[in-house]
Amino acid sequence: PAPSRMRMLSPGPKGSRSRSRPPPLGRDFEMGNVLGEGAYSTVNLAKNTQTGQEFAIKIMYKEHLRRHNKTNMAFVEKDALIKIQTAGGHPGIVRLERTWQDNWSFFYVLSLARNGDIQSLLFRLGSLSLTCARYYAAQLVDAVAFMHSVNVIHRDLKPENLLLDDAFRIKLTDFGTAKVLDCFDGRARTFVGTAQYQAPELLTASHTTRSSDLWAIGCNIYQMIAGRFPFFGPSDYLIFEKIKRLDYDFPEGFDSQAKDIVRKLLVLDPSQRLGAGAPGTENDVAALKAHPLFAPVKWDTLWTDPAPPHE
Ligand code: ATP
C-alpha cells in the first residue's frame, strides 16, 4: 500500500529511504486540513513555511489516475494553467504556483479560494439575486474571454468549478478537461465534462470550440437565477435529447434581460451564439460584454470592486 500523503511530504526518519531521497519541493509546505475532494484528487490547505502564505495543494494519486485512464488529465490541467499564466494570468482564474511529483502522486500548488464555490452558494440560497448573478456572470465572462484569448477552452464550466476567494470573487478552476488549441479555429474532438452543460455540437458532431464554453455560460447564468439546470432529466441520454431539441423553459419571474442573454447563448448553431465571432468581428466577445444585462457592470474595476452581498 502507498504511504499516507502526509508522510510523503514530511522528512522521514534518519536513514530511511525518504531521508536519502526527500520530496524535493514538498518540504516547503506544511499541510493543513482537507479543503475538498474531487473524483481524482484531494485538495489540502497548505502553508509555505518560508513565507507563511497559504495555498491549496491538489494531490493526485498516480495509481488512481492510471486505473481510471486519467493520467492525461493531470498533464492537461498543468498545460492549460501554465499557458494562462505565461500570458500574464487572470484574477478570475486559479494560479498554479508550483508543481512537483514523487513516486506516488502529483502535487499542484494553487492559489487558495477559501469561500467554497458558486454551487455551494446555490445549495445554501436556492438561487442568486439578479445583482449577484450578474456580477458572477460578468466575472465568468471576463475570465473565459481571457482564457479564450490564449487559446484555452475549459469545457466544464459549472458552478462547482467557480470557486470563491477571500473577497468572494470567482476563481475558475478544474482545467483537467480543458483543451489547449494550436490556433483560433482549432477544434477538440473528445467527449468530456458534465451532461447538463454539454453543448449540442458535442453531442451531434463530437467536437467543441470556444463557443461550447459560451453555451455553458448560458447554462450557468440560467442556473444562478433559476436555481436549477435549464436541461434536466433522469439520465444523461434524456438530458442530451433535451439539449439537442433546445427543450427548456424559464420559470416565472425570470428577469427579461437575463432571459434574452440566455436565449442568445443557448443557440444550437455554435457560430450564432452571442460572442462566438472571431476577435475584431461584430459578434466577438465585446458583443457579449455589451449585452444589456451587463449594462451596470464596471468592467474596468470588476476585480477590485467589492462583491455584492449574497441574498
Ligand atoms: P472533479 O471531481 O471535478 O474532476 P478534481 O479531482 O479535478 O475534481 P477539483 O474540482 O479541482 O478536483 O477540486 C476538488 C475540490 O477541492 C473542489 O471541489 C474544492 O472544494 C476544493 N478545491 C479545489 N481547488 C481549490 C482551491 N484552489 N482552493 C480551495 N479549495 C479548492
Side-chain angles (χ1 to χ4, degrees):
S4 79
R5 283 163 181 153
M6 282 305 288
R7 265 179 56 207
M8 279 185 265
L9 282 178
S10 50
K14 259 193 171 176
S16 74
R17 253 178 92 208
S18 57
R19 182 177 156 83
S20 54
R21 294 182 56 200
L25 291 160
R27 284 190 304 182
D28 292 349
F29 293 91
E30 196 180 284
M31 295 285 260
N33 300 336
V34 172
L35 293 167
E37 305 257 1
Y40 305 103
S41 69
T42 301
V43 179
N44 276 69
L45 180 66
K47 188 149 95 181
N48 184 316
T49 50
Q50 313 291 313
T51 64
Q53 203 182 344
E54 289 186 310
F55 294 95
I57 297 194
K58 181 165 179 167
I59 304 164
M60 287 161 280
Y61 185 44
K62 289 179 180 178
E63 183 50 34
H64 183 64
L65 292 174
R66 222 177 354 250
R67 226 180 292 132
H68 295 269
N69 214 8
K70 294 285 180 188
T71 304
N72 199 41
M73 201 183 75
F75 300 134
V76 165
E77 178 152 36
K78 182 174 166 181
D79 283 355
L81 287 172
I82 287 176
K83 179 110 187 183
I84 289 163
Q85 256 150 255
T86 311
H90 188 277
I93 300 176
V94 85
R95 260 186 79 78
L96 182 62
E97 299 287 337
R98 204 187 277 194
T99 66
W100 71 90
Q101 58 177 297
D102 62 16
N103 285 345
W104 303 280
S105 304
F106 296 111
F107 300 83
Y108 291 0
V109 180
L110 301 161
S111 43
L112 179 61
R114 245 186 262 267
N115 281 314
D117 54 53
I118 298 281
Q119 183 59 62
S120 26
L121 207 59
L122 285 171
F123 278 139
R124 215 168 55 237
L125 302 174
S127 61
L128 303 186
S129 67
L130 184 64
T131 307
C132 262
R134 174 191 289 122
Y135 175 75
Y136 288 122
Q139 292 202 329
L140 175 59
V141 165
D142 200 57
V144 169
F146 181 81
M147 185 181 83
H148 285 181
S149 74
V150 300
N151 296 329
V152 175
I153 316 179
H154 188 281
R155 304 199 290 181
D156 201 14
L157 296 175
K158 57 183 176 182
E160 291 104 293
N161 289 336
L162 306 178
L163 303 180
L164 294 167
D165 68 10
D166 285 350
F168 284 94
R169 300 187 188 109
I170 68 159
K171 288 254 183 264
L172 178 55
T173 193
D174 204 357
F175 284 76
T177 48
K179 182 79 191 174
V180 179
L181 298 172
D182 295 331
C183 61
F184 187 81
D185 290 320
R187 289 170 173 189
R189 286 198 152 266
T190 24
F191 170 67
V192 293
T194 305
Q196 282 87 349
Y197 308 87
Q198 289 306 308
E201 65 274 16
L202 196 80
L203 308 175
T204 50
S206 297
H207 71 246
T208 175
T209 64
R210 285 172 179 72
S211 187
S212 312
D213 281 344
L214 297 176
W215 174 280
I217 290 174
C219 294
N220 278 267
I221 295 175
Y222 180 105
Q223 191 180 347
M224 285 193 276
I225 295 171
R228 60 171 167 84
F229 307 124
F231 306 99
F232 61 96
S235 68
D236 285 359
Y237 174 80
L238 291 170
I239 293 169
F240 293 158
E241 288 305 302
K242 285 192 171 178
I243 292 172
K244 285 190 271 187
R245 290 197 310 268
L246 209 56
D247 178 3
Y248 75 102
D249 50 28
F250 293 100
E252 205 156 310
F254 199 100
D255 176 80
S256 60
Q257 282 172 348
K259 251 187 208 173
D260 187 74
I261 199 168
V262 168
R263 284 194 183 116
K264 288 176 173 156
L265 290 166
L266 299 186
V267 172
L268 291 176
D269 178 351
S271 71
Q272 296 308 306
R273 288 177 202 144
L274 185 59
T281 62
E282 203 180 317
N283 185 32
D284 66 4
V285 72
L288 174 55
K289 287 185 169 182
H291 186 276
L293 177 72
F294 294 133
V297 171
K298 296 192 194 102
W299 294 98
D300 290 345
T301 52
L302 186 59
W303 299 98
T304 47
D305 286 343
H310 296 150
E311 47 197 7

